[in-house]
Amino acid sequence: MFEARLLRSSILKKVLEAIKDLLTQATFDCDDNGIQLQAMDNSHVSLVSLTLRADGFDKYRCDRNISMGMNLGSMSKILKCAGDKDTVTMKAQDNADTVTFVFESPNQEKVSDYEMKLMNLDLEHLGIPETEYSCTIRMPSGEFARICRDLSQFGESMVISCTKEGVKFSASGDIGSANIKLAQTASIDKEEEAVVIEMDEPVTLTFACQYLNYFTKATSLSPQVQLSMSADVPLVVEYRIPDIGHIRYYLAPKIEEDDS
Amino acid sequence: MGVTGLWRLIEPAGKPVPVETLENKVLAVDISIWLHQMVKGYQDAKGAPLPNAHLIGLFQRLCKLLYFRIKPVFVFDGGFPDLKRETIAKRQDNKTKYNSASEKLKREITLLLGKKTAIGSLLGKQISPTKNKQPQTNNDDIFKLPELPEKGGYSESESEDEQDSSASTVDLHSVDFDSDKFKNMPIKEKYDLLIELKETRKMNSWGKINTLPKKSDNFSDFQMQRLLKRRQLQECLEETEKEMGDEGMSLNELESLLNEEGIDTKIESLPSRRIASNNTTRYLLISNVRQALENAKRKEEAAQQAQLQVSATTAVEKHDAKDIQKNDELDDDLEKAIKMSLECVDEADTSACTSKTDESWTSFVTESDYSDDEDEDGFEPPDMTSAKSYIKQYTDLNYKVIDNIVAKKHKEKNKCIKPRVNEIIEELAQEKTIIEDQIELMSSDDDKDKCEVVEKSSDNEKEQVEDRHITEVIIENEGLSKKYELEESNQAEASIICVEKSIDDVISLDSSLEMETVKNDEVKVETVKDNIKSESSSSSEDDFEDVSDEETKSKKPVVTLTLNMGNTIEDDIFADIFTSKGDNKNFAPNMKNEQEITKDTTKNEVKDAIKPIITDEVATTKSIEKCLDKESDNEKNEKQKEIVDKDETVSQDVATKQKAIIPERPKISTEELNTMVTDIENEEQILLQEKGKLDRIGRNITEQMTKEAQELLQIFGIPYIVAPMEAEAQCAVLEALKLTDGTITDDSDIWLFGGSTVYKNFFNQKKHVLQFLRERIEKSFNLSREKLVLLALLVGSDYTVGVTGVGPVTALEILASFPFNKKKTIAENAKFTDYQEIVAGLQEFKKWVKAGRRTDNVSLKKKLKNVSLSDDFPSVRVVQAYFEPNVEKSSEKFSWGDPDITELREYAKAKFGWSQHKLDEIIKPVIKRMQENKTQKTVHDYFKKKLVLDSLEDQMSKRVKAAIQKMGPEAPEEINVPEKPKPKRARKSSISQAATKPGPSKGKRKKRNDETKQISEVVQTAVVNDPEKIFDITVPKTDRYQEIIPQREKDRKSILENKLKAIEVFRKSKIDPKKKSTKRRLPVPKEKADLSESSDTD
């Protein structure tokens, strides 16, 4: 028996918003500690890793570890049926082939439940090595979303280079080129609005804008985003979901032809 | 190609791979199989091979590869090893077989054509009497278009024909309606075709904007042409319709019966024009007769007060009367009319005749209506008018003369008719002349009609014509009343002359009326109605009702319209019959009552009335046959039978008010031949298709093709090598040399040559690209390269024929039963003896098969009942060929160039006839992709995937599973791929055993206590260490999983913990036995428990 209850359905809704463009289907692995999701996009260029800790739920129960393969399109359809303030409960029997979503309005006047068929998905977990990243950039998530959106107009790929001065995002294409530089915020009034750069050595990497734009769908989950980079290693874009967990996107860089 | 059935066997091992992930990989491409595929697979619309198919295909595939930034290396077949040459020779044999088969089919087709023309000519002869009339009537057609536009007009319709799947080749020729072929075509088909043409033409006028001329000046010409075309089509259609009608009437009835009487000679001797007119006049008269007959019938009915009378009672009378009537009907319907006037009707005979004539008449009318052939238009009104006049006469007469008539009937018939036959024939001739006059008159009318018709669009045309008919009918009614007066006086004399006069009158009346109608075209029907009401009797009112019906129906689509016309006319007649019936029955003095009754009941009762009449018909026709047996030939009999058939069908038609009378009316005399023709056509079609197919299959890869392909590759800057021998072998070696990352091929031979990464279905858009890894195949199927070779020996491949009757699954079973000694894996420089060792298993198998009776392995034995092994069965040569292929082993790296766009343009233009624009459309995105100097890495480049080899067992069949299991013992871990390695399992099993076993029975308590003591020792050791440590201990033992998957580890950990808890509970349960059974079970996952039980036995 698996049961997880969230007081606010909005969190789950936002999580789904954040992944459903990138993934069409994914396996939710549920165990005592919470819910985890790891999946690659169709072209295997990026990887999503979602963690929702058990303690972040209002109520969490997982007798046996279960993996629920879900069609994210269907799931998001169901979640759209929930009001933002509704309580949402996910339920599944052991070895069940369906999962049930129960939405309760705050005053308990309306209770709706939706059952969704589960899918049999390949269990393909990637081992993600613990990496010490040479650069870590923390910045407001809205700012990052804006940068990605703006630069994607100029080209398909975006160069992120992190130096002592700050971080530079640049793109070039048919219409010209664009550069956006962010310097480390001098005085930290509000932590959320600060740009904080921790750097051991400068890194410059190229990424596909398309995927970064997918990642920024998670902007509403967190006011801050953290980018971690090392040379010739996937970029990590992490959004911390307050009180409950995080969502991490890994994006493989584009490498100059000669390097291969 | 490849090993038979191997792909299917290992299909589950394939993993769908997004093409994007193959970016930047160096993949060897076995192009030989491509060329084969493309040469044979690419076809034009007719299934014939396409020129340069291999190059177009190659071009497209190259673009696909380059678009995904795959670096291909193309490998061509070099020579063929001797072994393969043998099999190739066999293949060539097959090809020549195919080719010769194709030739044979060609010959058959020509033969069929000959047959068809022969049958066609036969058909033509049979139809000739009627057919000859058609063109001649056509000659009468003043508005026949000049010859000139015909060809042009029909060329387009021909192209439209091609789209007709049913009629394609034959119709092509046939649409040229002057040709013999077209005439010989089954009329129904012809008709259908024309109708379809017409329909499509309408549609095309909207759909085919392309055909519009580009210059506005030409537009009027264009329109004119279209008009001409349409007219032609219309004409043709009319012609066929006429033919069809003729077939219904003249072909079947007239011909045979005329022949009997020797009148056919007359027809032949008559000028063609007259024949046509004769036909129509005859119809005219028939209709009269019919109605007269109906009247007679009415009287009869009135006299006998039942309809049954007709069928049974008059049987004997019929025979005589039938003879006469046949002669009459068929020769001249006039006769009957005369008889009618003279005798006041032969009841039974006439009724029978009426029904027949009804059919023919209706068909005729429908025809004429439908085609709105003006010639026929001219004839129609007299038909109808005269018919109606007769009806009216007789209805009026009924009251007066019924009794007399009834009394006279039989005798009169016999006596009167016979002597008059000759007279009648003479009269016929007279009539013909009269009718000629009539025609002239009509034609003048027609002129006007036509002028109008031509001006109006086809739909409107018909409606108007229909309207005209209606008005004509109405006006005829007016005329009828006049005629009625005339004829009343004449009837007293009851002579032929009177009839003729009346006819003359009718004709004159009609012509005048027609003139009026032409003028009055626009006059509303209602006014006419009023006139009629004032003038006409109740019966005429009935007529009018029907007319109004017709009116309403005339608004329906054209085809049904005309058909309805036919029906309604039939209705007319029967309605009349009925009214008389009603009259007779009621004998009411009040006309109004009669009218009402008739109005109410006509429709329903018409049907009732029709049925008995039809039964009569059938009976009469049969009896007619009997009578005429002496005179008639077999042919005639047949035709008469057919007539009977037709009558029956018609009766059904009428009963159901069938709307598609024309197309469904059987073409009796030609039916069989037609079916033959259609059969032959079908056969021809099939043969043609087959020929195309065989031609394609028979095509071979020539040296030229290879050259051209290489040329194209050079333009694209793609490296290729020509393998010394087999391309697959070379591909496998390239991969082994790390020059490539895999091979794109659909040839399963690659596995035998040692390929390890194969992408299948790469260019199959319907399927996902499947990635096959040798590792995976080996692990899931226990099929090493050696075993695959052995499998090939059994099932057959390029190098060996295999064992007949052995499929891949059976082969697996054999391999499982007769394993080879696997101690020595094949080294690079393996020797001959090693190969022999590989084959040893199969040698044993051979012995086993030859030995025959063995009790072991019965099921396998059963399957191999019919297996015969050749002497050299486990051929070491084959094994050697697979393990020591002749390949190029240089490890020189490949390099890729950029496509030479300008050269490519020229090439595309020359070879494919592509414009620069088209080429650019295809090549631009590819070039753009190629010019990106950055490569998108994938997650896989950084995060190593755990080789999670899920068990494929659920995708395998039972037999395959069993065979694999059997092969298993050599590599036990490989069988249970997903399971945990042994050491851990052992521990777990002991633990879980403790958890699960103790539950159920209390009787074994003591034994269990002993067990639990042991277990608790184990547990204590485990419990001493904290759970974390157990976790640590166990993990390293899972040698398969070097890296830690958190979820899995947690999973395991939690299970372990649960078990420990369970054990704890169990220990406590010693103290409190009642609790344990409930608590104990909860936390332990069942699966694991089961597993451990099974592992216990190890």
Side-chain angles (χ1 to χ4, degrees):
Chain A
M1 178 74 179
F2 164 75
E3 192 174 343
R5 183 179 155 98
L6 272 174
L7 284 180
R8 288 285 166 89
S9 72
S10 58
I11 290 176
L12 200 55
K13 285 174 128 182
K14 284 176 189 167
V15 164
L16 215 66
E17 279 302 307
I19 59 174
K20 80 173 170 60
D21 288 342
L22 202 56
L23 312 170
T24 54
Q25 53 202 27
T27 306
F28 288 75
D29 298 303
C30 309
D31 60 17
D32 269 351
N33 301 316
I35 301 174
Q36 286 212 326
L37 178 150
Q38 194 202 73
M40 282 179 288
D41 73 294
N42 205 25
S43 53
H44 294 195
V45 169
S46 64
L47 181 135
V48 184
S49 168
L50 168 75
T51 304
L52 299 172
R53 292 189 306 274
D55 55 42
F57 288 90
D58 178 44
K59 183 185 170 190
Y60 189 88
R61 176 185 166 195
C62 184
D63 300 336
R64 258 201 76 185
N65 297 358
I66 58 169
S67 295
M68 299 185 288
M70 296 196 202
N71 182 321
L72 296 181
S74 313
M75 189 177 172
S76 101
K77 272 180 197 162
I78 287 174
L79 286 174
K80 275 189 182 138
C81 303
D84 271 350
K85 291 178 181 172
D86 286 2
T87 309
V88 61
T89 312
M90 281 171 79
K91 284 184 195 166
Q93 298 298 320
D94 292 343
N95 293 324
D97 56 358
T98 56
V99 62
T100 308
F101 295 89
V102 182
F103 306 130
E104 293 160 76
S105 64
N107 49 12
Q108 300 287 317
E109 276 170 353
K110 179 184 169 192
V111 178
S112 40
D113 64 290
Y114 299 86
E115 196 177 59
M116 186 177 77
K117 285 177 189 151
L118 294 177
M119 312 170 78
N120 237 333
L121 299 178
D122 271 349
L123 285 174
E124 199 181 52
H125 288 289
L126 294 180
I128 300 165
E130 284 296 319
T131 314
E132 279 296 314
Y133 289 95
S134 28
C135 292
T136 309
I137 305 145
R138 254 177 290 141
M139 61 191 288
S141 59
E143 188 63 54
F144 180 61
R146 180 78 198 260
I147 289 167
C148 291
R149 198 191 69 203
D150 291 349
L151 290 188
S152 62
Q153 299 173 59
F154 287 84
E156 286 177 0
S157 47
M158 173 197 294
V159 180
I160 305 177
S161 60
C162 189
T163 56
K164 274 178 190 170
E165 289 77 43
V167 58
K168 188 177 85 173
F169 304 88
S170 50
S172 65
D174 293 340
I175 56 171
S177 62
N179 292 293
I180 299 170
K181 278 181 207 158
L182 286 182
Q184 188 151 1
T185 319
S187 58
I188 303 171
D189 297 335
K190 284 184 181 175
E191 204 180 329
E192 289 174 359
E193 289 171 10
V195 176
V196 181
I197 299 171
E198 291 163 17
M199 190 203 79
D200 295 336
E201 52 184 285
V203 178
T204 301
L205 284 174
T206 309
F207 302 100
C209 287
Q210 185 194 3
Y211 292 97
L212 292 172
N213 277 321
Y214 283 137
F215 300 165
T216 56
K217 305 276 184 200
T219 302
S220 57
L221 279 170
S222 170
Q224 268 227 323
V225 62
Q226 178 177 308
L227 314 179
S228 309
M229 297 197 298
S230 271
D232 200 18
V233 149
L235 162 80
V236 185
V237 180
E238 177 178 342
Y239 294 88
R240 294 218 166 88
I241 310 167
D243 302 330
I244 191 164
H246 62 258
I247 182 166
R248 282 191 192 134
Y249 299 95
Y250 295 84
L251 178 58
K254 285 186 164 185
I255 300 294
E256 291 287 333
E257 199 86 333
D258 300 343
D259 296 347
S260 67
Chain B
M1 296 296 271
V3 181
T4 319
L6 181 57
W7 278 127
R8 207 154 34 100
L9 185 70
I10 62 173
E11 190 78 53
K15 187 178 147 252
V17 175
V19 189
E20 291 86 0
T21 58
L22 301 179
E23 192 175 303
N24 244 359
K25 285 200 170 156
V26 180
L27 297 179
V29 179
D30 171 16
I31 195 177
S32 60
I33 200 168
W34 280 23
L35 291 177
H36 277 101
Q37 280 172 349
M38 287 183 287
V39 165
K40 280 157 197 178
Y42 282 53
Q43 50 177 289
D44 61 13
K46 283 174 191 164
L50 260 181
N52 279 333
H54 57 295
L55 294 181
I56 293 176
L58 179 60
F59 182 86
Q60 284 165 348
R61 290 179 172 196
L62 275 177
C63 286
K64 180 174 180 181
L65 284 171
L66 294 177
Y67 183 80
F68 288 109
R69 297 166 60 97
I70 290 163
K71 293 178 171 174
V73 176
F74 282 79
V75 183
F76 286 88
D77 266 336
F80 300 118
D82 290 341
L83 262 173
K84 195 170 183 180
R85 194 160 290 147
E86 291 162 20
T87 34
I88 291 276
K90 269 176 212 158
R91 272 189 217 158
Q92 284 289 2
D93 269 1
N94 284 337
K95 269 175 197 162
T96 48
K97 258 183 228 162
Y98 283 133
N99 280 333
S100 62
S102 163
E103 283 299 311
K104 214 175 168 186
L105 287 181
K106 219 190 255 173
R107 252 175 278 139
E108 258 177 82
I109 290 165
T110 49
L111 249 172
L112 269 181
L113 269 174
K115 262 192 219 168
K116 210 172 84 188
T117 47
I119 289 168
S121 59
L122 235 161
L123 268 173
K125 269 181 201 166
Q126 286 217 298
I127 307 164
S128 57
T130 46
K131 281 230 166 144
N132 290 339
K133 290 169 202 164
Q134 293 320 310
Q136 281 148 359
T137 45
N138 236 16
N139 290 341
D140 289 351
D141 190 351
I142 304 155
F143 288 88
K144 188 177 180 185
L145 288 167
E147 291 293 323
L148 188 78
E150 278 182 9
K151 279 197 174 175
Y154 273 85
S155 63
E156 200 188 287
S157 49
E158 274 174 14
S159 65
E160 282 165 18
D161 283 352
E162 280 184 351
Q163 293 164 358
D164 266 3
S165 59
S166 61
S168 67
T169 39
V170 183
D171 290 349
L172 253 171
H173 306 285
S174 64
V175 184
D176 186 357
F177 62 80
D178 276 342
S179 73
D180 288 337
K181 265 193 180 174
F182 181 73
K183 280 171 189 165
N184 294 339
M185 259 179 78
I187 289 173
K188 196 190 167 194
E189 268 189 41
K190 234 197 287 189
Y191 182 78
D192 289 348
L193 179 75
L194 287 167
I195 288 286
E196 190 147 345
L197 267 177
K198 211 178 153 192
E199 297 281 320
T200 48
R201 187 162 286 285
K202 267 184 218 162
M203 283 159 64
N204 282 346
S205 65
W206 298 105
K208 281 197 177 176
I209 303 165
N210 310 343
T211 56
L212 286 174
K214 281 169 188 170
K215 285 183 186 174
S216 55
D217 297 348
N218 296 339
F219 187 72
S220 57
D221 282 354
F222 172 72
Q223 273 193 314
M224 202 57 199
Q225 288 233 299
R226 281 181 58 84
L227 205 63
L228 287 175
K229 276 178 210 163
R230 209 187 301 156
R231 181 60 207 156
Q232 265 179 323
L233 183 65
Q234 184 66 27
E235 245 173 347
C236 207
L237 195 60
E238 284 164 13
E239 215 178 300
T240 31
E241 273 163 3
K242 256 190 254 168
E243 261 180 58
M244 284 176 72
D246 282 349
E247 270 205 326
M249 173 62 184
S250 56
L251 223 194
N252 307 321
E253 297 189 6
L254 269 182
E255 199 188 319
S256 59
L257 293 162
L258 286 177
N259 282 345
E260 284 169 24
E261 284 298 73
I263 289 173
D264 54 341
T265 50
K266 272 188 187 175
I267 289 174
E268 281 164 27
S269 65
L270 284 169
S272 54
R273 202 178 175 193
R274 275 189 189 176
I275 292 168
S277 53
N278 264 344
N279 261 338
T280 47
T281 30
R282 250 179 242 143
Y283 290 125
L284 226 177
L285 292 164
I286 287 165
S287 62
N288 294 344
V289 172
R290 190 195 316 147
Q291 279 145 347
L293 294 175
E294 284 154 23
N295 292 337
K297 199 185 164 192
R298 274 176 248 147
K299 290 163 201 166
E300 209 189 34
E301 283 165 356
Q304 297 182 353
Q305 292 180 349
Q307 295 180 344
L308 293 172
Q309 74 222 50
V310 184
S311 56
T313 54
T314 55
V316 183
E317 299 167 2
K318 281 174 198 166
H319 289 293
D320 303 347
K322 280 164 208 159
D323 291 357
I324 300 155
Q325 282 171 347
K326 276 176 209 160
N327 301 334
D328 298 342
E329 278 181 301
L330 305 163
D331 303 345
D332 289 336
D333 300 49
L334 271 176
E335 253 193 14
K336 285 176 190 171
I338 295 156
K339 280 180 231 157
M340 295 299 297
S341 59
L342 285 171
E343 300 171 5
C344 298
V345 176
D346 311 335
E347 310 145 7
D349 309 353
T350 43
S351 67
C353 299
T354 19
S355 49
K356 269 190 208 166
T357 44
D358 281 355
E359 294 155 10
S360 54
W361 189 69
T362 45
S363 66
F364 170 69
V365 171
T366 46
E367 234 184 285
S368 54
D369 287 354
Y370 183 64
S371 57
D372 58 77
D373 198 11
E374 285 78 7
D375 287 4
E376 286 173 340
D377 275 3
F379 294 118
E380 241 192 55
D383 287 358
M384 295 173 75
T385 46
S386 55
K388 276 159 194 168
S389 67
Y390 272 108
I391 293 160
K392 280 166 196 168
Q393 288 168 24
Y394 286 115
T395 47
D396 285 4
L397 275 174
N398 287 345
Y399 307 111
K400 302 165 188 172
V401 199
I402 291 166
D403 296 339
N404 297 332
I405 294 162
V406 173
K408 286 176 186 174
K409 296 178 231 165
H410 311 296
K411 291 173 186 176
E412 281 181 346
K413 284 178 223 159
N414 298 332
K415 289 172 186 172
C416 299
I417 295 162
K418 282 175 186 172
R420 276 169 197 154
V421 172
N422 296 330
E423 295 176 12
I424 291 156
I425 293 162
E426 291 175 3
E427 287 159 12
L428 264 177
Q430 292 177 355
E431 281 168 8
K432 281 163 198 163
T433 54
I434 293 164
I435 288 150
E436 279 180 8
D437 298 342
Q438 210 185 331
I439 293 162
E440 288 173 5
L441 271 173
M442 294 313 168
S443 61
S444 62
D445 294 351
D446 295 345
D447 288 3
K448 291 168 186 174
D449 288 357
K450 277 185 183 176
C451 293
E452 290 174 3
V453 169
V454 171
E455 285 169 10
K456 287 157 191 170
S457 67
S458 58
D459 288 0
N460 292 334
E461 222 179 299
K462 290 203 171 162
E463 278 185 4
Q464 285 177 345
V465 171
E466 230 74 75
D467 289 345
R468 224 171 293 142
H469 285 313
I470 292 154
T471 49
E472 280 167 11
V473 170
I474 292 155
I475 292 156
E476 280 159 22
N477 288 342
E478 293 175 330
L480 285 176
S481 56
K482 292 172 195 168
K483 278 181 243 160
Y484 161 69
E485 291 171 356
L486 257 178
E487 298 203 26
E488 256 193 328
S489 60
N490 288 339
Q491 272 174 357
E493 297 172 10
S495 66
I496 304 159
I497 301 158
C498 297
V499 178
E500 283 182 353
K501 279 179 186 171
S502 67
I503 292 166
D504 283 356
D505 293 347
V506 169
I507 292 162
S508 56
L509 271 172
D510 289 346
S511 53
S512 60
L513 284 171
E514 275 223 342
M515 296 294 279
E516 285 175 23
T517 52
V518 173
K519 289 166 191 167
N520 293 337
D521 255 355
E522 316 236 340
V523 176
K524 287 176 184 175
V525 183
E526 288 181 15
T527 56
V528 183
K529 205 195 217 172
D530 294 342
N531 294 335
I532 294 162
K533 273 183 185 172
S534 59
E535 290 177 11
S536 63
S537 65
S538 62
S539 57
S540 67
E541 281 189 354
D542 285 352
D543 286 351
F544 176 72
E545 281 187 338
D546 294 336
V547 170
S548 59
D549 284 353
E550 287 175 358
E551 265 189 326
T552 53
K553 283 170 187 172
S554 68
K555 283 162 191 169
K556 291 174 188 171
V558 184
V559 180
T560 50
L561 224 182
T562 53
L563 296 175
N564 286 341
M565 284 293 286
N567 283 338
T568 49
I569 287 156
E570 278 185 347
D571 289 352
D572 269 5
I573 295 150
F574 291 119
D576 289 345
I577 295 168
F578 177 74
T579 46
S580 62
K581 251 194 252 168
D583 290 351
N584 293 333
K585 282 174 190 168
N586 296 331
F587 231 80
N590 297 332
M591 295 296 279
K592 288 177 184 175
N593 291 339
E594 282 181 3
Q595 288 171 24
E596 286 172 4
I597 292 160
T598 49
K599 280 175 194 169
D600 295 339
T601 50
T602 11
K603 292 229 165 168
N604 298 331
E605 295 194 33
V606 161
K607 288 175 192 169
D608 297 344
I610 291 162
K611 282 173 190 169
I613 290 162
I614 286 153
T615 51
D616 288 351
E617 267 176 66
V618 176
T620 47
T621 40
K622 278 173 187 167
S623 54
I624 288 164
E625 283 173 17
K626 286 170 194 167
C627 296
L628 294 174
D629 273 347
K630 294 167 192 172
E631 298 175 358
S632 62
D633 301 340
N634 294 331
E635 270 188 295
K636 286 167 191 169
N637 283 335
E638 280 178 5
K639 279 171 189 168
Q640 281 181 337
K641 279 175 198 165
E642 285 161 356
I643 291 163
V644 175
D645 292 347
K646 191 192 159 199
D647 289 347
E648 286 170 352
T649 54
V650 171
S651 68
Q652 289 169 357
D653 292 352
V654 173
T656 53
K657 284 209 170 187
Q658 177 208 41
K659 285 185 180 174
I661 288 172
I662 291 176
E664 287 184 24
R665 185 149 290 170
K667 289 132 251 158
I668 285 146
S669 60
T670 55
E671 210 170 69
E672 287 173 31
L673 289 173
N674 286 340
T675 51
M676 274 177 76
V677 169
T678 48
D679 282 353
I680 288 168
E681 277 165 17
N682 289 339
E683 207 175 326
E684 192 187 345
Q685 287 269 309
I686 292 161
L687 288 177
L688 277 172
Q689 282 174 2
E690 209 168 317
K691 186 180 165 285
K693 195 180 156 199
L694 291 179
D695 274 348
R696 260 188 295 129
I697 293 170
R699 278 187 83 182
N700 209 346
I701 306 293
T702 61
E703 198 67 16
Q704 175 70 13
M705 288 178 183
T706 317
K707 282 266 163 60
E708 285 171 331
Q710 287 171 359
E711 193 188 337
L712 185 60
L713 287 176
Q714 270 169 2
I715 295 171
F716 268 101
I718 290 166
Y720 65 85
I721 54 173
V722 179
M725 282 287 179
E726 287 265 56
E728 297 96 68
Q730 186 65 54
C731 290
V733 168
L734 286 177
E735 201 186 343
L737 292 173
K738 308 262 178 199
L739 289 176
T740 60
D741 300 323
T743 306
I744 297 172
T745 185
D746 283 0
D747 191 339
S748 51
D749 274 346
I750 185 96
W751 298 117
L752 310 192
F753 291 116
S756 50
T757 310
V758 174
Y759 296 92
K760 193 175 171 268
N761 298 339
F762 197 91
F763 297 98
N764 191 336
Q765 276 160 354
K766 286 175 199 158
K767 294 177 186 167
H768 286 289
V769 179
L770 291 179
Q771 183 193 48
F772 289 86
L773 297 174
R774 191 181 6 185
E775 243 186 321
R776 202 175 163 91
I777 291 171
E778 267 179 32
K779 298 225 162 111
S780 335
F781 290 93
N782 283 317
L783 283 173
S784 60
R785 186 176 165 191
E786 295 82 26
K787 282 189 184 169
L788 283 169
V789 171
L790 293 181
L791 191 84
L793 277 174
L794 286 165
V795 298
S797 72
D798 285 353
Y799 289 173
T800 173
V801 193
V803 181
T804 45
V806 175
V809 180
T810 316
L812 259 190
E813 286 170 348
I814 292 168
L815 288 183
S817 308
F818 303 92
F820 75 98
N821 195 352
K822 205 205 168 188
K823 276 170 196 164
K824 295 172 196 168
T825 35
I826 303 301
E828 196 65 25
N829 304 319
K831 285 174 193 170
F832 193 75
T833 49
D834 294 327
Y835 299 138
Q836 238 153 9
E837 248 170 72
I838 294 173
V839 173
L842 288 183
Q843 296 279 20
E844 226 170 277
F845 165 66
K846 192 180 179 183
K847 272 183 216 158
W848 179 73
V849 169
K850 293 230 163 131
R853 288 170 203 171
R854 276 217 198 172
T855 48
D856 58 336
N857 219 341
V858 181
S859 62
L860 187 61
K861 193 83 194 173
K862 259 183 206 165
K863 272 169 216 145
L864 299 172
K865 217 186 269 173
N866 299 320
V867 164
S868 61
L869 299 172
S870 57
D871 293 336
D872 59 341
F873 160 57
S875 167
V876 182
R877 270 178 77 211
V878 172
V879 180
Q880 193 174 10
Y882 277 120
F883 280 102
E884 289 176 0
N886 186 356
V887 286
E888 176 64 52
K889 287 187 179 170
S890 94
S891 53
E892 197 186 330
K893 296 233 169 189
F894 295 105
S895 61
W896 286 263
D898 290 329
D900 186 339
I901 305 260
T902 47
E903 205 173 323
L904 205 55
R905 269 183 202 138
E906 281 165 25
Y907 188 87
K909 202 170 179 185
K911 295 277 182 185
F912 317 141
W914 289 356
S915 65
Q916 185 178 329
H917 180 70
K918 185 173 180 188
L919 178 75
D920 284 352
E921 229 170 54
I922 297 169
I923 207 80
K924 272 273 165 66
V926 177
I927 299 293
K928 202 185 168 195
R929 283 276 296 183
M930 287 182 73
Q931 279 168 350
E932 282 175 28
N933 58 350
K934 292 197 171 174
T935 315
Q936 175 66 63
K937 292 277 178 183
T938 66
V939 173
H940 298 290
D941 297 329
Y942 303 100
F943 304 146
K944 284 293 165 254
K945 203 198 305 179
K946 313 288 154 20
L947 236 182
V948 184
L949 293 177
D950 298 329
S951 164
L952 300 171
E953 286 188 4
D954 40 335
Q955 293 177 60
M956 296 179 198
S957 72
K958 274 184 191 169
R959 281 175 66 194
V960 176
K961 250 188 259 179
I964 290 167
Q965 292 284 359
K966 205 169 177 183
M967 275 193 262
E970 302 167 3
E973 322 117 338
E974 283 172 359
I975 306 170
N976 307 317
V977 167
E979 290 180 12
K980 276 107 200 170
K982 269 199 167 176
K984 189 182 170 188
R985 210 193 299 149
R987 168 189 291 227
K988 260 195 213 159
S989 65
S990 61
I991 294 164
S992 58
Q993 190 187 24
T996 46
K997 272 207 171 173
S1001 72
K1002 291 182 182 178
K1004 292 180 182 174
R1005 173 65 56 81
K1006 279 175 190 173
K1007 276 188 185 174
R1008 252 189 291 117
N1009 284 346
D1010 296 337
E1011 270 179 46
T1012 44
K1013 269 177 198 167
Q1014 294 171 357
I1015 291 158
S1016 58
E1017 284 169 14
V1018 178
V1019 168
Q1020 270 173 348
T1021 56
V1023 166
V1024 170
N1025 310 322
D1026 60 3
E1028 212 38 58
K1029 266 200 172 174
I1030 296 173
F1031 176 67
D1032 287 337
I1033 292 161
T1034 49
V1035 169
K1037 286 180 183 173
T1038 65
D1039 42 30
R1040 191 170 299 282
Y1041 307 100
Q1042 295 291 330
E1043 281 179 86
I1044 296 158
I1045 304 168
Q1047 289 98 355
R1048 268 164 202 271
E1049 296 311 327
K1050 271 179 207 159
D1051 204 349
R1052 260 174 242 152
K1053 205 166 98 184
S1054 67
I1055 288 167
L1056 205 65
E1057 279 168 12
N1058 285 339
K1059 282 173 186 167
L1060 289 173
K1061 266 186 218 164
I1063 292 159
E1064 202 63 31
V1065 171
F1066 177 67
R1067 282 167 71 200
K1068 282 177 193 165
S1069 72
K1070 273 186 195 169
I1071 305 154
D1072 185 8
K1074 277 182 186 174
K1075 279 184 184 172
K1076 71 188 168 188
S1077 59
T1078 48
K1079 277 188 184 173
R1080 196 176 296 140
R1081 285 199 153 184
L1082 243 179
V1084 181
K1086 264 186 189 168
E1087 243 177 54
K1088 295 293 173 187
D1090 290 344
L1091 258 181
S1092 56
E1093 290 240 323
S1094 67
S1095 60
D1096 253 356
T1097 56
D1098 294 6

